[in-house]
Amino acid sequence: MNVKRWVALVVAGVLLLFSLGINTIFALFKADFLGNFDSLMAGNSLDVYENVIEGENFDKRIAYLKVDGTIQDIGSSTLWQPVAYDHQFFLEQLDNILYDETIQGVVLSVNSPGGGVKESADIYKKLLRIKEERQIPIYVSMDSMAASGGYYISAPADKIFAHRDTITGSIGVIMQSINYQELAEKVGVKFETFKSGEHKDMLSPMREVTAEERAMMQDMINETYEEFVDIVEQGRNMSEAEVKKVADGRILGGTKALEAGLIDEIGDEEATIAALREDYGLEDAALFEYSYDMGGWQSYVGMKIGSMFGPSAEEKMLMKIMTDYSAPKMMYLYGEY
C-alpha cells in the first residue's frame, strides 16, 4: 500500500472519530438528565426564574416588571442574537401574574419611546385584565422616557410616578414611508409593478401617494388616534377635551405631565414601591422580578457552542437584513422613525 493510501485512511479515520465524538456529545446534551439541547440551541428559556429583590413575606408578593426599549415583537433572545425588549417573554410575565394568587401588587417600570400599535395594545389588554380579574393595584414608575406607546401602557395604572425630567406624553400615532422615485430615476433604476387593484401598491417608494390614498391613510390614523385618546380618558378619569389639550403629539416633562393630569406624583422607582406598600398594607411583601436563565453549566456550554458554531458577524447582519419587514406601519412612537 502506497503512502497516499495510508494518508487517506488516516484522514478518514480521524474524520470518523471526530464525527462520532460530536454526535455522542450532542446525544448527551439531548438526554433528559442533561436538559433539552434543542431548546438551548434555539435560544428558548429552559425555565422562568423569580429573583427576590427585597421583603420576607412570600404569601403576599409584589411583582416588579420592566419595559425597557422599543415595544416591538422582533423575536426572542437567542444565544446568538439577544434582543433588548422581548415582547413574548413580557406577555408571559403578565400571564403568570394573572394566575398567581400570591401576587398582591405590580410595579411596572417603563423606559420606552413607545413602539408598535399592536404590541402596545397587547400589553394594555393584559394589564387591564389583571386589574379586572385579580383586583390588585398596578403602580407605574416612569424612567427617563415613557412616551407614546410607553404612556399608552402606563395609562391603566392605579398610580403613575415620574421624574421631573422624564419625557412623557407624545400621545398620537405616526406612520411614515420613503419616496425615492426621483433618486431612482437619476441613477437609472426602474420598477415594474403588476397589481390586482388600483391601491395594491399604496405607499410604494416608487410613486407619489394620490389624494384619495392620503385620505384613506389619514382616516386610519385618526381612528387609531381616537382609540389612544379613549385609553387615556378611561385610565386617567379625564374628559376627552382634557386629554386632547395635550394629545397633539407634544412631549412633556414630569412637572407639566403632573399639571396636565397625565401622572399622579413626582417620584422615583423607590418612591413608587414605597407608596404601593403603604397604600395597600404590603410593607413586608416580597418584591421579586422574573428572569429567564438557562442556568449554570447549560448557559456556559450554550455560549461556547454558539461561539464555535454560530453565525459570524457578517452572517448575523445578512440574517437581519433578510428578516426585517420594512413595510410602513402605524406606531405609537416618539423620536426617530
Side-chain angles (χ1 to χ4, degrees):
M1 187 178 291
N2 60 35
V3 175
K4 288 184 178 180
R5 289 189 177 183
W6 276 112
V7 171
L9 284 173
V10 170
V11 171
V14 170
L15 290 175
L16 177 62
L17 289 173
F18 179 77
S19 176
L20 289 173
I22 291 294
N23 288 333
T24 301
I25 292 172
F26 280 14
L28 285 172
F29 281 130
K30 294 188 77 168
D32 288 341
F33 66 91
L34 284 178
N36 189 325
F37 180 75
D38 288 335
S39 181
L40 182 66
M41 289 297 289
N44 299 326
S45 58
L46 298 181
D47 206 348
V48 176
Y49 292 85
E50 294 181 359
N51 301 323
V52 178
I53 301 171
E54 63 182 26
E56 302 175 350
N57 187 345
F58 295 94
D59 294 324
K60 291 184 176 182
R61 306 190 300 155
I62 300 171
Y64 171 84
L65 307 178
K66 190 173 184 67
V67 171
D68 191 359
T70 305
I71 305 170
Q72 291 192 86
D73 190 358
I74 57 174
S76 297
S77 294
T78 69
L79 292 171
W80 300 329
Q81 191 172 1
V83 297
Y85 166 74
D86 189 330
H87 186 62
Q88 293 305 317
F89 180 63
F90 188 77
L91 295 181
E92 288 174 14
Q93 295 176 57
L94 297 178
D95 286 334
N96 285 343
I97 293 170
L98 189 61
Y99 300 109
D100 190 336
E101 295 292 336
T102 68
I103 299 174
Q104 299 297 305
V106 176
V107 171
L108 173 59
S109 173
V110 179
N111 185 33
S112 173
V117 167
K118 177 188 177 298
E119 292 91 336
S120 300
D122 288 341
I123 296 173
Y124 170 80
K125 290 173 184 175
K126 284 190 180 289
L127 289 173
L128 206 60
R129 187 177 172 193
I130 289 171
K131 284 188 63 177
E132 293 173 351
E133 295 186 16
R134 288 296 321 283
Q135 297 290 308
I136 60 176
I138 298 174
Y139 278 28
V140 163
S141 172
M142 292 181 170
D143 204 323
S144 60
M145 180 178 291
S148 204
Y151 187 79
Y152 186 102
I153 66 173
S154 302
D158 295 278
K159 192 171 285 189
I160 301 175
F161 288 72
H163 299 269
R164 293 187 186 280
D165 54 356
T166 294
I167 294 175
T168 189
S170 188
I171 298 171
V173 190
I174 188 168
M175 186 176 187
Q176 292 180 331
S177 66
I178 299 174
N179 186 317
Y180 47 77
Q181 180 181 4
E182 292 185 11
L183 175 62
E185 290 173 353
K186 286 182 180 179
V187 297
V189 176
K190 184 178 180 181
F191 277 56
E192 298 291 353
T193 302
F194 305 92
K195 53 187 180 179
S196 58
E198 180 184 356
H199 305 295
K200 182 59 180 172
D201 62 341
M202 280 177 63
L203 301 184
S204 166
M206 291 305 299
R207 71 172 179 84
E208 294 289 336
V209 178
T210 68
E212 183 182 10
E213 289 169 342
R214 194 173 297 280
M216 291 179 188
M217 297 306 302
Q218 192 60 53
D219 283 344
M220 189 167 64
I221 293 291
N222 292 345
E223 181 180 357
T224 306
Y225 166 74
E226 292 297 337
E227 291 177 5
F228 197 160
V229 170
D230 289 343
I231 294 300
V232 180
E233 287 180 48
Q234 296 164 16
R236 300 301 302 166
N237 293 316
M238 297 169 66
S239 68
E240 180 179 352
E242 289 173 328
V243 175
K244 287 191 172 180
K245 283 181 181 179
V246 291
D248 53 5
R250 73 181 69 182
I251 57 172
L252 300 95
T255 303
K256 291 297 183 183
L258 179 63
E259 293 175 2
L262 296 182
I263 70 170
D264 297 288
E265 293 188 30
I266 299 294
D268 58 13
E269 187 173 280
E270 186 177 340
T272 307
I273 296 169
L276 177 62
R277 290 187 181 282
E278 182 179 352
D279 293 347
Y280 290 88
L282 298 171
E283 286 82 359
D284 62 344
L287 177 71
F288 76 96
E289 63 181 345
Y290 294 104
S291 67
Y292 48 50
D293 190 342
M294 288 171 289
W297 67 270
Q298 291 173 325
S299 179
Y300 176 77
V301 171
M303 287 187 292
K304 289 297 182 183
I305 292 173
S307 64
M308 290 171 61
F309 300 107
S312 65
E314 293 79 7
E315 290 170 329
K316 290 178 185 177
M317 180 60 68
L318 182 60
M319 289 163 59
K320 178 174 174 57
I321 292 171
M322 292 176 66
T323 57
D324 276 355
Y325 185 62
S326 58
K329 62 179 181 179
M330 290 190 293
M331 304 285 284
Y332 296 139
L333 185 65
Y334 164 70
E336 184 177 354
Y337 178 61

